[in-house]
Structures are given as structure tokens and as C-alpha cells.
Amino acid sequence: MALSRREWLGAVGLGFAAASLPSFARRALAEAPRAGKLFVLIFQRGAADALSVVPPLLEPRYRLLRPTIALPAKGEGAPLPLDGFFGLHPSLAPLLPHFKDGTLAIVHQVGSPDPTRSHFDAQDYYELGTPGQKGDDGFLDRALADLPEDGKAPFRAVALQPTLPVSLMGPVEAVAVNELAQFHVGPASGSFEAMYRSAVDSVLRGASDEAFAALHSLASSGALGRDAEVAAGYPKGGLGRRLYELAALVKSGHRVQIAATDIGGWDTHVGQGTQRGQLSNRLRELGSALAAFARDLGPRFADVCVAVVTEFGRTVRENGTHGTDHGHGSVMLVLGGAVRGGRVHARWKPLDDHDLFEGRDLPVTTDFRAPLSSMLTGHLGVADVRRVFPGFALPRAEWPRLI
Amino acid sequence: MGRLVLLGSVLLACATVPPPRPEAQPAQTPVAALPEGLTASPLRPAEKAAHLLNRLAFGPRPGEIDALARGGDAALWAWVERQLAPSTIDDSEVDARLAPLPTVGLTNAELRQEYPSLNELAKAHGIDLSNESAKRELQAAVDPDQLVRRVEEDLAIQKLVRATESRRQLQEVLLDFWFNHFNVDLEKGADRWLVTTYERDALRPHLFGRFRELLGAVAHSPAMLFYLDNWQSFRDQPANPRHPNQPHGLNENYARELMELHTLGVRGGYTQKDVREAARCLTGWSIERPNQIGSWIFRERQHDEGAKVILGVPFPANQGEADGERLLDLLASSPATAHFLATKLARHFVSDDPPPSLVERLAQRYLATGGDLTAVYRELFGSPEFWSRQAYRAKVKAPLEMAVSSVRALDGHLDAARPFEAAIAAMGERIYRCQPPTGYPDTAQAWVNSGSLVARLDFGLALAAGRLPGVHGHLLPFTPGRRRADPGPFVREVEQQLLGGPLTPETEKVVLEQLAPETRAMPDGEVRPLDVHKLAGLILGSPEFQRR
């Protein structure tokens, strides 16, 4: 088996001085992003409606095909203009300053080449990074395997939720913590640690190794007490609480390289609403939580890149119940201090019937692996995305340049 | 609120175990033909009994393994047969315990009208809930037992009490399985008021009959039609200009999940066109005023009367409500459905990756019997795969299974749902509140991770130490008393009770080491009693107890 990049770098660090390396390798090391970069994947479970999140203002058919769910053209509740062609849902107003100062990029008509409209399959394919193919390891896990480990960091990969998402499943250790405040075992902790260390049950032993390393790390950094004033800057709800905890983890010196969490409630088949309503409420929570996270991170925001993704998009036409059914293409939000933002990346196909996917859905003109590849290489320093996304052959020049 | 109390201060040298409960008694008359899977099983008798009680029940209660194992294979199989016919098992104790719960027997309309939400109450009284002091005032003025919260709590407590104490254990295991298969989320709008009757009337009576009956009951349940939006799905027509906000077209949600999740499976061979056509069949399957009445209704006006073709089968025009019934017939009798259900059942009861040979046999049984679920269960529980060494302790317990089996192992009883629900949620499972229609995954991968493991350890310790509110009963029906310095025999008695078998030598060694300080002889030569709470907590948190 070939030496992985991690092993290779490890060997370099132990055995050789950089000066003895060939020049291309020296250059690679010099250009390797410095330690401390964090990539955050936020998964909108349920398939978010791209045409509501980032509506195409100049598409005449946008309002025609959505008589009751399109945002009003002007006045209260109208989309916030981005670049003349696209607008931003008004409930995402907290993110508008980030678009303007260039720390928010948007990728439109993005999605999977696989046509499934099953939430379950589409989420799996997305998180496995292998459209149309099932497997065991998530793409974030493979990205971790490709990255230098820089020391033993128990929170190197963390899911802020009760269970590990598919994207983080695989051989590289990752911890799942729903609430840091509840993450403790009490006085018998040492007993369990000893018990699991010697356990023959390798599945459970693996989880326990990760858990106790994380517990020790938290204990040595001092408990992460809740800073009420900082927490008050976040909106109510799960995402705000989780991003608050992630920021607290980062600010207290824990090395986090990849973090993942979910926000549900996007499967808007009925009465999805316009500037108000269920979709608007989800977007308000999303937008204000992200803005609070950016603010809370302060200077560390420069080292952070957040991708907000969803498994597929929705029908372009509203359905019979003022909602939208399962579709195809969607939209991705990319936020971070190092992001080349301020623009909407789209190989836009108009909303004419013959351009829609199967005559009904927003088409996919950008493979989701392209923007993710840009982030994973440019931000985290993944060397070879073909290991992260096997079978993905789109050359780098065709990826949206997000970093 | 009851708390776990340590009963008995009798100084006993060894463990005493309460008499076995009646359902664990060996059968009086041996069953004629025992399945070869059972009789040829490589498992020892106690392992067989433990295996049954861990798979067809929510874990053993003290004494049950011994009682079952004593009667040999005939007793084991007689127990299975009794569990397959739950009406033959007297469960009046549990029924009597649940009878006082005010909401479990009500209709949707009664629940809806008698148990409003705080928001509705505020609206009715013109109170603005964003005003914190007004909100507090309202909360102080209303009896919380008159709010919908009561409905949710009753629902949870009846589930947890039945899982812990019902003698019809297989019925409760299957109810949990099929609820998850036909998942609805209580937190979606009106479903808070509809899930009580969904579980009670649509699922519970149909767990042992034909799958088609179960499927039909679900399709007639307001809870599912609300959850997957079908109640508003309309034949496609132009919007009424006078009522532009009224539904006037198809909603695919239920039709798609009906095929993908309830019957054929995602690779079951249906197309997007089939989804649309199925949605057309189901137009009109609706709910009479979900926020007042909440009963199933067929709305002719809403129904698409055109001809349809589904999976290549023509559906003639003008069949009304019968379209939907025919669709369910078609789906329930499909071989794809047989395989999909067989896979899920085998995954739940045998292993995460069930042997294809078993799945195939179960599917054949399903097809040969017209989807008779009990016939499929019987085939499954008698199969060599079920009784194999590989299947023994092969499944990691889901959080609910972990929590309920812990209480059963300690011979405990529940009298409040909230703290228990919260503990299960911390391990990753929110009962009645799984948002996606897929339900929870049924594999170890989904439940084993650092956070959930820490929550399990924490739960076991809290429960064993009597720190979990809402649980009462015996902690351990024995105490170690003053005893010899070697705690080994006593520890093994406790292992037997809690686990139905020994810990692995590795785990046992650690347990003994961890308990060593407590068993050290005092200066006067006496031996300090073992910390039973800690011992029980360690065993509940052990890798062995996480499996079933």
C-alpha cells in the first residue's frame, strides 16, 4: 500500500530536515496552510429550497412558477440584492455584511450528479462523497486521513450532535458531543477508562478511546463554563447552541480541524411561506447563528471556513400545497475569513422547462464535490482530492475558486 | 417522585433472587415440533434464554434467565409461541397501572379539544407570549396537566412502563420496531395530538397480523397523513382565484415515502413517474379538521379520478377511494416489499448485516403466506441464523433498549417519564421525536460514538446509585453483607443477574480491581462491604451490557 500523505509527512518531520528535500517538496511544505485551520460542515437535512434561499431576481419565470411562495419583488420582504441577478432571502440579512465584505460566497445550481430524490440515499451519497455508490467512510474522514495530524488532538474532528454523521465515519477518530456541559462521567470515570481500554469489543473500545481522550483534554483546559454574555449573541435553537460550543472549544485552545453539525426542518412540502413562515424561520436561525459564530470567533474567523450544504434541491414549481417537492439542484453557502466571497458562483441555466432537470427541478450545473474540493485543498491543505472524492475527475481549473 | 432505594439489609452470604415471574415459567405441555435452528444451536441453555430475552424482550429481569433455561428448548420455544400470541398472556397488572393516565384512551377530537397548547390558550385570551411577565402569569394560572404537555407525557410513560414491565414483551419490541418503520414525528404541528391514537389504534392492534392490514391502518391514520402532508394533496387543477391560498395540486411526500420507506425500499424499482401516479391515487385521503376533529376522511372533491399506471399496472378511472386501497394491495404484495421488510426484520433481530440466505427465506415466507407477519416472525425466531454463535450479543443496544434493559436488570419500576426520556435523548434517541421519515438507523454504527458512550456510562451510574428520579424499586435484591475478602463469587452473582452471563475475563478483572479498595479488610479484621451501587453501575456501563 502506498504511503499516505500523513505518513509521508510524518516521516519527513522525523527523519529529514526540510533543506534536504527536493525543491518541489520544500515548496509544498512552505505553501502548506499553517496549523489552526478549521473547516465546518453544516448539513441542512431535508433538502433546502435554493430558489428561496438565493432567488434569481431577473428570472421572469421565478415568480410565474411560484405564484404564492416567491418573495415579493419589492417592499417589505423583498430579497436583498446581491449582484444584480441574485438576491438573498431577507431572513438571511445577518449574512449580507459578509457578502459585502467578501467573506461569504454562494454556489448556485450545485448538487449531486446522482438523480435520487430519496433524502436517505442522497444524504448518504453526499456524505460518503461518492454519488450513486454506498460505502463505509465519509468524505471528511478521508480528508482527515490526508491531512497532517499535528499532535494528539482529541477534538481534531468533532460532531456537535448526539451521533456521528456519515461524513465523519471511518478509521480516523472523531468525537460526537451533543452538549459539552453534559459531557462527563463522574467519579467512576477512571474505572470505565480502564475497563474499556482492555475491552475485547473493538467497536466500543474505539468510541471509548476517543471519549476519554476528549474528557481528559476538556479537564486539562478547565471546564468550558458557559459565558452567558457571549451565548446571548447567538439565537435560540440547536444550531446557535452548537456553534457557541464550537467557538468556545476553539477559543479555549482546543485544536479542531473539522467540525460538523446538522440543522433540520428543510423538507418544506406544505406552506413553506415567503418572507415569513416555516422556511423563513429556519433561515433566520441559520443566518443569525452563522453571523454570531463569525463575530464570536473574532480574529480566529480568519482561519475558519464554513460550508452550508443540503442533500438535494426542490421542484422549481410550487406544488399543490404551497410548498415544494423533492428536486435536484440546490445552493451552497460558504462563509469564512479566508473565503473569496462577494460573488455567486453559478453556471446558470434559466428556468425554462427544457433546462430544468427532468422538466421540473432546478438543474445541477456544479458538482458539489467541486466547491468542496476547493475548500478542502485551499483551506485545509488536502493534497489529493481524488482520495477524498474517488472517481471525481473534474480538473482544478473548473472548480469554483472559493479560497 | 420515587427514587431508587436499596432494599434489604439482611446479611446474606450469597445472592438471593426473587421467584421468577409467571411468563418465564416453563410450559406445561411441550410443543410438538421444535425448530431445528433452536435445537441445533451451539448456544448453551443459559445463553439461549439470555438471547431470547435480549431480542424478543427488552432484556431479562432477575430470575428470568434461570427460569427459562431450566425447561430446556421446549420451554424456550413455548415462551416464543406465547409471545407470538400476546392476547394469551395476562397483562392486567400493567393495564391497571396505566389506567389512571387521563389521556391514553381518548380520541383525537377529545385530545385536541381538551388539551390545548400554551400558545392556543394565550391566543384565546389575547395574551402576547413574547411578553415574558404575561407568559409567566398565564403559566401560573393554568394547570399544566390541562395542556398538551400532559398528552406527550402520558404517551411517553405508557411506552416506557410497557417496555419495562409488560409481560407481552415481544409486542412492545415489535411496536417500537414498527413505529420506527412507520415513523412520525410528534413535534410536527398537529401530530402532538395525533400520535396517541396512531400508536394505539393503527400500530398496536396490527403487529401480528398481515402486513397489508398494518399498512392500511397507517394509511388511514391522521398522524401519518399529517406528517407526510397527504391530507392536503389535491388533484392537479388551476388555483381558485378567489382562494389562491387553498391547496390545488399534488403533494408527493407520502406517496414517495410509502414506496421508499414503508414498502418497496429505495431500490424497489419504482420511478419518479410511479411516485406521481401513486400520489394521484392517494389524493383525497385526508383529515377532517386536524385542529378540531382529527379523524380520517376521504374527500371525493380532492381525488384525481383519471386513470393511472403504477409499476406497469393500469388503474382504471373513477375508482375513488378504491384507488388507494388497490395501490396498497399492489405494494404490499410486491416481492420488493417482501425483501425490504425481511431485511429490516433480520437486521433488527439477528445482526446489522443479516445473512442473505435468511433474508431470502423470510421474504419467501412473507410471499407464501400473503404477508402474514407472525409466520415471518416464527420463521425468523426458529432460524439457525438467529440461534447462531455469530448472532449472540451481535447487536449494540439502541439507547431506549439500553435504558429499559437496565431498569429491568435492576428489577426497577418507572413512575415518571421526563428524566428517563432525557437520559435516553442524551444517548442519542428522542422517543416519538425522530424528525426524518426514515426513523432511526438500526445498526451499531449509528449508536456507537464518544458522546453517546459517555452518556451511557453516566446513565448506568446514576441509575444504579438511585440518582435518576422517577425510577423506584429494588436496586439489587440482595446485599453482599459482611463477607470474605474475595469479592469474586459475589461479583459473579451480580453479573449473572444483570447480564445473564459472565463478563469477559478482561472486563471482570478491571471490575474486581476497581472494587478492591472497598473490599480491603479493616484494621479490626472486618471486611468492609462491597459498594453494590458502584458494582452495578460498572456492569451497566460495561461493553458487554451495551450489547443484546
Side-chain angles (χ1 to χ4, degrees):
Chain A
M1 212 169 92
L3 213 58
S4 76
R5 179 176 161 83
R6 178 165 47 143
E7 289 160 334
W8 182 76
L9 279 177
V12 168
L14 287 173
F16 308 96
S20 68
L21 290 172
S23 62
F24 74 88
R26 271 204 308 276
R27 210 163 44 238
L29 278 184
E31 285 171 5
R34 64 191 173 85
K37 296 282 185 185
L38 165 63
F39 176 70
V40 185
L41 186 75
I42 297 178
F43 208 112
Q44 298 170 292
R45 306 273 170 195
D49 178 39
L51 291 185
S52 293
V53 182
V54 180
L57 305 179
L58 298 186
E59 273 288 351
R61 282 167 62 80
Y62 161 62
R63 289 203 169 76
L64 192 70
L65 299 178
R66 298 185 155 214
T68 72
I69 62 166
L71 290 164
K74 46 173 100 70
E76 195 225 324
L80 312 169
L82 291 175
D83 59 1
F85 186 84
F86 293 105
L88 192 65
H89 192 287
S91 293
L92 289 176
L95 295 182
L96 189 62
H98 287 286
F99 191 83
K100 296 211 159 130
D101 74 10
T103 54
L104 172 71
I106 293 166
V107 189
H108 218 310
Q109 291 189 345
V110 67
S112 171
D114 187 86
T116 183
R117 292 187 186 89
S118 149
H119 293 299
F120 173 71
D121 263 3
Q123 290 179 19
D124 268 7
Y125 293 154
Y126 205 114
E127 298 188 73
L128 295 167
T130 52
Q133 244 184 310
K134 295 273 172 148
D136 296 324
D137 306 337
F139 82 87
L140 291 180
D141 185 84
R142 288 194 299 274
L144 286 162
D146 196 75
L147 289 168
E149 214 172 328
D150 72 12
K152 190 99 188 100
F155 287 104
R156 181 183 176 218
V158 59
L160 295 133
Q161 55 190 41
T163 55
L164 213 56
V166 171
S167 58
L168 276 173
M169 286 183 176
V172 181
E173 297 80 10
V175 298
V177 182
N178 190 33
E179 250 181 280
L180 285 168
Q182 302 295 319
F183 193 64
H184 54 70
V185 178
S189 182
S191 308
F192 281 121
E193 190 173 3
M195 183 192 288
Y196 275 84
R197 201 185 300 125
S198 64
V200 285
D201 190 324
S202 61
V203 176
L204 291 163
R205 192 178 59 227
S208 121
D209 288 348
E210 292 156 15
F212 284 104
L215 286 167
H216 290 313
S217 176
L218 278 182
S220 67
S221 73
L224 296 175
R226 188 169 170 82
D227 184 330
E229 204 177 310
V230 176
Y234 285 85
K236 280 186 186 165
L239 186 67
R241 183 178 59 70
R242 288 160 175 186
L243 290 181
Y244 163 79
E245 291 204 325
L246 177 58
L249 208 53
V250 170
K251 290 193 297 180
S252 63
H254 290 277
R255 175 79 186 96
V256 189
Q257 208 164 17
I258 290 186
T261 194
D262 293 343
I263 176 170
W266 303 95
D267 199 12
T268 51
H269 287 274
V270 168
Q272 67 180 46
T274 52
Q275 70 266 42
R276 277 181 292 276
Q278 49 166 317
L279 186 55
S280 162
N281 292 339
R282 303 315 282 144
L283 290 170
R284 188 172 309 109
E285 181 181 348
L286 176 68
S288 49
L290 286 171
F293 183 57
R295 205 164 43 237
D296 187 9
L297 284 169
R300 299 298 308 272
F301 183 57
D303 296 322
V304 174
C305 174
V306 185
V308 183
V309 307
T310 189
E311 69 263 33
F312 48 69
R314 310 193 68 84
T315 49
V316 171
R317 280 179 191 78
E318 70 178 64
N319 67 12
T321 53
H322 310 291
T324 44
D325 288 321
H326 298 185
H328 194 46
S330 193
V331 67
M332 185 188 290
L333 307 180
V334 181
L335 178 74
V339 168
R340 287 167 176 265
R343 66 171 286 205
V344 181
H345 298 262
R347 298 159 185 243
W348 188 255
K349 273 192 190 176
L351 303 182
D352 302 321
D353 278 344
H354 65 271
D355 281 319
L356 299 185
F357 179 72
E358 296 182 356
R360 52 175 264 155
D361 305 334
L362 197 66
V364 170
T365 55
T366 298
D367 187 316
F368 73 94
R369 294 170 293 182
L372 286 172
S373 294
S374 169
M375 288 179 256
L376 294 176
T377 56
H379 185 70
L380 279 184
V382 165
D384 186 355
V385 288
R386 283 172 304 182
R387 281 202 288 268
V388 178
F389 297 119
F392 177 61
L394 195 69
R396 184 182 288 256
E398 311 248 334
W399 305 345
R401 243 185 117 189
L402 296 168
I403 302 294
Chain B
M1 192 164 292
R3 291 220 170 205
L4 206 76
V5 286
L6 185 60
L7 287 189
S9 53
V10 195
L11 308 180
L12 294 173
C14 66
T16 60
V17 165
R21 296 155 72 92
E23 74 274 18
Q25 299 278 15
Q28 298 306 310
T29 48
V31 178
L34 298 180
E36 213 182 302
L38 168 61
T39 53
S41 167
L43 301 182
R44 292 191 299 274
E47 288 176 328
K48 286 180 179 174
H51 189 56
L52 269 188
L53 290 163
N54 273 318
R55 297 291 172 94
L56 276 63
F58 282 101
R61 279 189 168 268
E64 286 190 341
I65 292 178
D66 288 347
L68 255 187
R70 215 174 293 136
D73 290 346
L76 291 170
W77 193 250
W79 184 87
V80 172
E81 286 290 354
R82 247 190 335 276
Q83 290 293 325
L84 285 171
S87 60
T88 63
I89 303 170
D90 174 29
D91 214 20
S92 49
E93 258 178 65
V94 165
D95 291 341
R97 269 209 62 196
L98 298 178
L101 296 179
T103 69
V104 295
L106 301 185
T107 64
N108 285 343
E110 288 165 339
L111 290 166
R112 196 64 192 82
Q113 287 159 25
E114 293 168 26
Y115 293 89
S117 68
L118 195 67
N119 282 341
E120 290 170 331
L121 221 55
K123 218 171 181 179
H125 291 86
I127 295 167
D128 176 12
L129 280 185
S130 61
N131 176 340
E132 278 298 324
S133 70
K135 182 177 176 179
R136 271 195 300 276
E137 223 168 277
L138 178 66
Q139 277 167 332
V142 296
D143 178 357
D145 279 344
Q146 293 305 313
L147 294 174
V148 64
R149 205 188 132 114
R150 175 81 259 154
V151 180
E152 295 172 29
E153 280 193 35
D154 284 356
L155 183 64
I157 192 73
Q158 65 83 31
K159 176 184 176 80
L160 295 170
V161 164
R162 284 187 198 277
T164 323
E165 301 184 39
S166 171
R167 292 174 178 176
R168 301 170 177 176
Q169 278 285 298
L170 178 59
Q171 174 175 284
E172 299 311 309
V173 167
L174 286 171
L175 184 64
D176 190 55
F177 172 85
W178 287 112
F179 192 106
N180 195 56
H181 178 83
F182 290 112
N183 182 54
V184 300
D185 173 15
L186 179 148
E187 288 187 347
K188 179 165 173 171
D191 269 317
R192 295 173 90 182
W193 290 272
L194 303 175
V195 175
T196 299
T197 63
Y198 177 62
E199 187 180 84
R200 183 189 71 206
D201 303 339
L203 301 180
R204 190 178 276 287
H206 300 105
L207 303 172
F208 293 89
R210 286 181 198 283
F211 178 72
R212 173 64 180 84
E213 291 156 12
L214 179 59
L215 184 69
V218 170
H220 283 87
S221 74
M224 183 60 81
L225 296 181
F226 188 88
Y227 175 59
L228 291 180
D229 306 320
N230 198 77
W231 71 286
Q232 294 198 58
S233 184
F234 229 87
R235 77 190 135 89
D236 269 322
Q237 60 175 36
N240 180 339
R242 280 188 303 165
H243 303 283
N245 288 327
Q246 277 180 0
H248 54 86
L250 284 186
N251 186 305
E252 295 173 5
N253 202 9
Y254 176 52
R256 178 184 307 282
E257 307 305 9
L258 173 65
M259 293 184 170
E260 176 185 332
L261 301 176
H262 299 172
T263 59
L264 304 173
V266 70
R267 264 159 281 284
Y270 60 92
T271 64
Q272 172 60 32
K273 176 115 194 311
D274 290 322
V275 171
R276 297 288 293 180
E277 296 282 278
R280 292 177 60 212
C281 283
L282 291 166
T283 45
W285 289 50
S286 189
I287 310 169
E288 174 73 5
R289 284 180 288 165
N291 283 322
Q292 283 102 43
I293 308 292
S295 55
W296 189 89
I297 187 175
F298 177 72
R299 294 185 195 281
E300 197 123 27
R301 219 168 47 81
Q302 224 167 298
H303 186 68
D304 183 332
E305 283 293 15
K308 298 122 191 150
V309 178
I310 295 158
L311 302 170
V313 177
F315 280 54
N318 302 314
Q319 302 300 306
E321 189 182 332
D323 270 353
E325 299 293 348
R326 260 198 86 200
L327 171 69
L328 299 180
D329 291 343
L330 179 67
L331 295 176
S333 60
S334 160
T337 299
H339 277 92
F340 182 59
L341 299 178
T343 305
K344 285 193 79 170
L345 282 165
R347 181 177 297 135
H348 186 74
F349 285 100
V350 178
S351 60
D352 288 1
D353 286 309
S357 56
L358 173 64
V359 171
E360 183 57 34
R361 286 206 314 283
L362 297 180
Q364 290 312 321
R365 194 84 197 118
Y366 177 97
L367 293 170
T369 59
D372 178 348
L373 291 175
T374 296
V376 178
Y377 303 149
R378 189 176 281 116
E379 178 85 26
L380 175 58
F381 303 147
S383 70
E385 291 88 347
F386 177 84
W387 290 106
S388 67
R389 176 59 63 190
Q390 295 94 299
Y392 186 66
R393 283 194 193 161
K395 292 287 293 184
V396 168
K397 291 174 183 172
L400 173 75
E401 293 164 346
M402 154 62 189
V404 171
S405 63
S406 300
V407 178
R408 285 173 61 82
L410 296 176
D411 205 23
H413 302 269
L414 284 173
D415 50 24
R418 292 250 158 186
F420 207 70
E421 274 186 283
I424 297 170
M427 298 183 231
E429 183 176 3
R430 300 179 69 219
I431 59 173
Y432 297 116
R433 289 169 179 82
C434 177
Q435 195 182 47
T438 39
Y440 289 110
D442 198 359
T443 56
Q445 205 182 30
W447 298 124
V448 177
N449 63 67
S450 38
S452 134
L453 184 64
V454 165
R456 284 170 188 241
L457 306 182
D458 202 32
F459 169 81
L461 288 172
L463 182 72
R467 282 189 283 112
L468 197 74
V471 189
H472 70 274
H474 312 255
L475 164 59
L476 295 165
F478 49 76
T479 63
R482 286 161 197 262
R483 25 176 304 101
R484 289 192 311 277
D486 175 17
F490 176 72
V491 168
R492 276 182 282 278
E493 294 280 1
V494 182
E495 286 172 24
Q496 182 61 36
Q497 181 198 311
L498 296 186
L499 208 58
L503 293 163
T504 59
E506 291 81 1
T507 306
E508 188 177 87
K509 185 162 163 281
V510 175
V511 170
L512 289 172
E513 279 166 13
Q514 297 302 321
L515 291 170
E518 276 95 349
T519 57
R520 214 176 294 132
M522 308 288 269
D524 60 1
E526 274 190 23
V527 173
R528 220 164 3 137
L530 207 76
D531 183 343
V532 179
H533 300 101
K534 186 172 179 188
L535 172 59
L538 286 176
I539 294 178
L540 295 181
S542 69
E544 289 83 344
F545 195 80
Q546 306 316 308
R547 292 187 172 266
R548 60 173 171 90

